[in-house]
Amino acid sequence: MTADLRKGRMGLQACLLGLFALILSGKCSYSPEPDQRRTLPPGWVSLGRADPEEELSLTFALRQQNLERLSELLLLPGAEFHHYVGGPTETHVVRSPRPYQLPQALAPHVDFVGGLHRFPPTSSLRQRPEPQVTGTVGLHLGVTPSVIRKRYNLTSQDVGSGTSNNSQACAQFLEQYFHDSDLAQFMRLFGGNFAHQASVTRVVGQQGRGRAGIEASLDVQYLMSAGANISTWVYSSPGRHEGQEPFLQWLMLLSNESALPHVHTVSYGDEEDSLSSAYIQRVNTELMKAAARGLTLLFASGDSGAGCWSVSGRHQFRPTFPASSPYVTTVGGTSFQEPFLITNEIVDYISGGGFSNVFPRPSYQEEAVAKFLSSSPHLPPSSYFNASGRAYPDVAALSDGYWVVSNRVPIPWVSGTSASTPVFGGLLSLINEHRILSGRPPLGFLNPRLYQQHGAGLFDVTHGCHASCLDEEVEGQGFCSGPGWDPVTGWGTPNFPALLKTLLNP
């Protein structure tokens, strides 16, 4: 690092410390987040003030202009933090009881300051649940790479060339890690009939030690078997943003690199209402920037159907983010119509989907969504969802009954859109392989093309509904699939030869 670079970095660090001190000193007069509260949310108890020397992790989300104004700040003493405990798992956090404020001159250049006030939602205090592991059903032997390849009409020749010209990636959060030994064993067991790579090309971030997680194992193993013989990266982001996934930290890693994999799959998400509006909007801006760079971003639609929560005693559906972002391609889930046969697919009842309460419906999906709303015979009550919001998912793939190797143990019947997302991403990487070899650019942001071509190249899933709440007493169905696009399986699941033909040309 040159002396000038070191000086610049030290100056920025000093400016951020000055900003931090000003915020807590109470000498400023502007707060960009009107929803900040000085009172504790229900279920939290103060354990007393934190030691002034205790290390804290805060998120300063600066708007990316006029950063030189930070140099006007001075380092001031006087920060106050307290320990709190709450939630069903007695989670401990450190937060400030004082409102934060910014100078009038600085306020237009700061989106938000995270880690000061907001408490993790009680529904997200736990470690993210592993993908669902179900019991044996009938004679079904479970979904493996060969089952995926047969259902979606891939041949042994449908693999990557193994060069560095094409690459793909998955992102891991919430202390989920994979093991190289698990990947190698998985490929020995299930990768014998197609060319593949036996190891991850690059890990970006901190790869923790200890036990492997089923989530991370699932993502890596099926991204690398669906997108077979394609260079694969894993982004591993430590820590949490206010108790939840550090999506912004991951996106900053992408923003700061010039050469990136073309396809990124993410099997994580949070309820929209559990995140601050400023944080959602900033993450969404970064997703838009990534899409503008030509990256294909796929997110799992979630495993709670339409979701359900109570507002003033009335139930409403609960959309998830980043699945609800208009700048990502969201993947729902299906299962085989017959549990032991490779046959037609129906809705997997856990498949997440619905309508955003934050983002309006983008123009690229206006026609498809309007048609669904006007023709579906099984719409839930209109008060349950925001019909004008961004609708998701966009596509789907099998999400039920997967085999995974984790901690050297083959585990059957793992289910969730955490499985369908890397599968769909891997197939898009194979299509990128053809595009790159023929001199075309990678696919990039996929949604406008998907909707313009009305789901060409996909198997339309027309049977089944996903779960949610229909009244105050019992859980019931949310939305149901039908011909064309629907908010359960999107346009459907991949028919690889047809999808390749559809997406190969510019």
Side-chain angles (χ1 to χ4, degrees), residues 405-461:
V405 174
S406 188
N407 299 297
R408 301 291 186 95
V409 178
I411 302 173
W413 308 106
V414 176
S415 300
T417 54
S418 296
S420 56
T421 305
V423 164
F424 206 102
L427 299 189
L428 293 182
S429 291
L430 294 181
I431 294 174
N432 272 340
E433 185 84 7
H434 286 267
R435 290 179 61 88
I436 292 170
L437 290 175
S438 61
R440 296 174 174 87
L443 287 167
F445 181 41
L446 190 61
N447 290 8
R449 176 178 292 191
L450 278 176
Y451 286 84
Q452 182 182 19
Q453 297 175 339
H454 299 91
L458 299 168
F459 292 120
D460 194 4
V461 180

Side-chain angles (χ1 to χ4, degrees), residues 143-150 152 154-160 168 170 182-183 185-200 217-232 402-405 419 421-430 496:
V143 176
T144 64
S146 62
V147 172
I148 292 291
R149 299 178 73 83
K150 183 172 183 180
Y152 296 141
L154 282 80
T155 71
S156 60
Q157 303 305 309
D158 291 317
V159 296
Q168 58 190 0
C170 62
D182 290 338
L183 174 62
Q185 182 175 348
F186 177 85
M187 289 301 186
R188 286 195 298 270
L189 290 173
F190 303 118
N193 59 352
F194 56 91
H196 60 268
Q197 297 191 6
S199 61
V200 168
S217 303
L218 175 68
D219 289 346
V220 172
Q221 290 165 19
Y222 280 91
L223 180 61
M224 294 187 67
S225 57
N229 208 32
I230 292 176
S231 176
T232 302
Y402 280 65
W403 279 91
V404 178
V405 174
T421 305
V423 164
F424 206 102
L427 299 189
L428 293 182
S429 291
L430 294 181
F496 183 75

Side-chain angles (χ1 to χ4, degrees), residues 74-224:
L74 300 175
L75 184 63
L76 298 175
E80 180 179 343
F81 285 88
H82 288 240
H83 286 279
Y84 299 92
V85 64
T89 58
E90 295 293 302
T91 296
H92 287 75
V93 298
V94 178
R95 294 291 185 266
S96 173
R98 303 174 61 181
Y100 78 81
Q101 299 172 320
L102 298 174
Q104 290 284 357
L106 181 65
H109 309 289
V110 178
D111 280 329
F112 66 92
V113 180
L116 285 173
H117 291 137
R118 290 182 65 88
F119 288 80
T122 55
S123 62
S124 300
L125 294 176
R126 303 179 300 276
Q127 172 73 23
R128 183 180 190 271
E130 300 282 9
Q132 181 183 1
V133 181
T134 61
T136 302
V137 178
L139 300 177
H140 197 288
L141 298 180
V143 176
T144 64
S146 62
V147 172
I148 292 291
R149 299 178 73 83
K150 183 172 183 180
R151 167 56 187 162
Y152 296 141
N153 292 325
L154 282 80
T155 71
S156 60
Q157 303 305 309
D158 291 317
V159 296
S161 61
T163 68
S164 59
N165 293 333
N166 189 18
S167 55
Q168 58 190 0
C170 62
Q172 297 301 322
F173 308 106
L174 307 186
E175 298 78 52
Q176 279 279 328
Y177 308 106
F178 78 99
H179 284 177
D180 288 320
S181 57
D182 290 338
L183 174 62
Q185 182 175 348
F186 177 85
M187 289 301 186
R188 286 195 298 270
L189 290 173
F190 303 118
N193 59 352
F194 56 91
H196 60 268
Q197 297 191 6
S199 61
V200 168
T201 302
R202 181 180 175 188
V203 176
V204 182
Q206 298 181 12
Q207 172 70 347
R209 300 175 180 177
R211 292 181 60 81
I214 294 180
E215 175 67 74
S217 303
L218 175 68
D219 289 346
V220 172
Q221 290 165 19
Y222 280 91
L223 180 61
M224 294 187 67

Side-chain angles (χ1 to χ4, degrees), residues 362-427:
S363 59
Y364 62 74
Q365 64 172 191
E366 178 64 39
E367 178 185 353
V369 177
K371 182 177 180 181
F372 170 81
L373 292 173
S374 64
S375 62
S376 175
H378 303 293
L379 281 181
S382 60
S383 62
Y384 277 48
F385 64 99
N386 173 29
S388 64
R390 154 42 167 163
Y392 68 98
D394 305 295
V395 293
L398 282 166
S399 59
D400 185 37
Y402 280 65
W403 279 91
V404 178
V405 174
S406 188
N407 299 297
R408 301 291 186 95
V409 178
I411 302 173
W413 308 106
V414 176
S415 300
T417 54
S418 296
S420 56
T421 305
V423 164
F424 206 102
L427 299 189

Side-chain angles (χ1 to χ4, degrees), residues 328-339:
V328 306
T329 300
T330 306
V331 185
T334 63
S335 60
F336 284 127
Q337 189 169 10
E338 298 293 336

